[in-house]
Amino acid sequence: MIGLMVYVFGVHLTHVVHLERMAGKPDLEELEKWFGNVPRSGLSLFEALTGGVDWDALAAPLSEQVSPLLGVLFVLYMSFAILAVMNVITGTFVQHAMERAQYNNEIRKVRQASLLFTTLDEKKEGFITFEEIEQHLELPPVRDFFRSLDIDLGDAHCLFDVLDSTNSGKIEFETFLGGAMRLQGPARAIDLLLVMREIREIVTSQTDGLRKSMNFD
């Protein structure tokens, strides 16, 4: 976009200088220096954008030797280019940096959850139980994991119940990793855990009641 804008405005300024030359105006050295042809005009405008040349060096000959309106047009061009286009470019780089930071944060979370699972699964069985969690609550990886979820160590059993969706008393690595990634982030995640457990208990209770009612009928 910047290249197109520089090219279009450069062509216009070169055309203006050419018209002044055709009109036989004297003392066009400054205009010829900065806007004598399209490549030179484009370079001058690009230098003005990037700080290679001062604005006044380009605006002065346009205002004094051609028209004050052309000088105003040049100032408007520079204002738009710097305040609009440069901001868009800056925003693009910032957005990319934020996405990269988010990606790195996700990688860190996966590594943290994997390290915790490896620490708890001492027998290398591929799953962990609440007893294993309870035995390792004082280890730094375990404490860091609970802290990242904004969950107190005393609520470890609640966390285990939520992740143990099959009520089997054990959690496999894939289930643990998926649950840990979903729960990472917002403050007071324990509230969400409690709601999820309560909903599951309600659904289970209603399902059992419905089955008993159907069997009774």
Side-chain angles (χ1 to χ4, degrees):
M1 182 177 180
I2 292 181
L4 178 62
M5 186 173 61
V6 168
Y7 174 77
V8 171
F9 196 52
V11 169
H12 173 70
L13 293 179
T14 302
H15 179 66
V16 169
V17 172
H18 177 70
L19 293 179
E20 295 296 311
R21 188 187 307 116
M22 294 290 291
K25 283 190 176 182
D27 302 325
L28 297 179
E29 290 80 6
E30 281 296 309
L31 287 175
E32 293 282 357
K33 174 184 176 181
W34 300 113
F35 310 107
N37 52 62
V38 174
R40 176 66 253 189
S41 295
L43 178 61
S44 299
L45 295 175
F46 183 76
E47 288 177 330
L49 282 176
T50 56
V53 64
D54 190 72
W55 288 23
D56 188 61
L58 301 181
L62 294 174
S63 300
E64 297 170 0
Q65 300 180 24
V66 181
S67 170
L69 292 178
L70 190 58
V72 173
L73 181 62
F74 174 80
V75 172
L76 292 176
Y77 156 80
M78 290 298 301
S79 300
F80 174 80
I82 292 178
L83 298 179
V85 178
M86 290 300 184
N87 282 344
V88 171
I89 294 177
T90 302
T92 301
F93 281 107
V94 170
Q95 180 65 25
H96 177 73
M98 292 176 61
E99 292 176 353
R100 182 66 181 178
Q102 179 66 24
Y103 173 77
N104 291 336
N105 190 40
E106 293 296 327
I107 295 298
R108 181 189 62 79
K109 291 178 180 179
V110 171
R111 289 176 178 174
Q112 184 184 35
S114 300
L115 175 61
L116 175 62
F117 190 91
T118 302
T119 302
L120 296 176
D121 186 21
E122 295 180 339
K123 299 178 181 179
K124 308 302 179 184
E125 297 174 319
F127 62 84
I128 58 177
T129 63
F130 176 71
E131 287 72 20
E132 290 175 320
I133 296 178
E134 194 173 29
Q135 292 171 4
H136 297 84
L137 284 179
E138 298 303 321
L139 293 180
V142 179
R143 300 177 69 89
D144 292 341
F145 176 75
F146 277 85
R147 188 180 301 111
S148 68
L149 296 179
D150 194 23
I151 298 176
D152 295 330
L153 293 178
D155 296 315
H157 202 287
C158 175
L159 173 63
F160 184 87
D161 288 344
V162 171
L163 296 181
D164 183 19
S165 58
T166 60
N167 294 320
S168 61
K170 58 184 180 181
I171 303 175
E172 296 181 350
F173 175 73
E174 292 78 8
T175 304
F176 176 81
L177 182 60
M181 294 302 296
R182 288 196 303 270
L183 294 174
Q184 293 274 4
R188 299 307 305 163
I190 187 60
D191 296 333
L192 177 60
L193 298 180
L194 293 173
V195 171
M196 293 173 61
R197 186 178 67 174
E198 291 174 359
I199 292 177
R200 191 176 66 200
E201 291 176 352
I202 292 174
V203 171
T204 302
S205 176
Q206 291 181 345
T207 302
D208 293 341
L210 181 60
R211 289 175 178 173
K212 292 179 180 179
S213 176
M214 294 177 63
N215 292 333
F216 179 76
D217 293 340

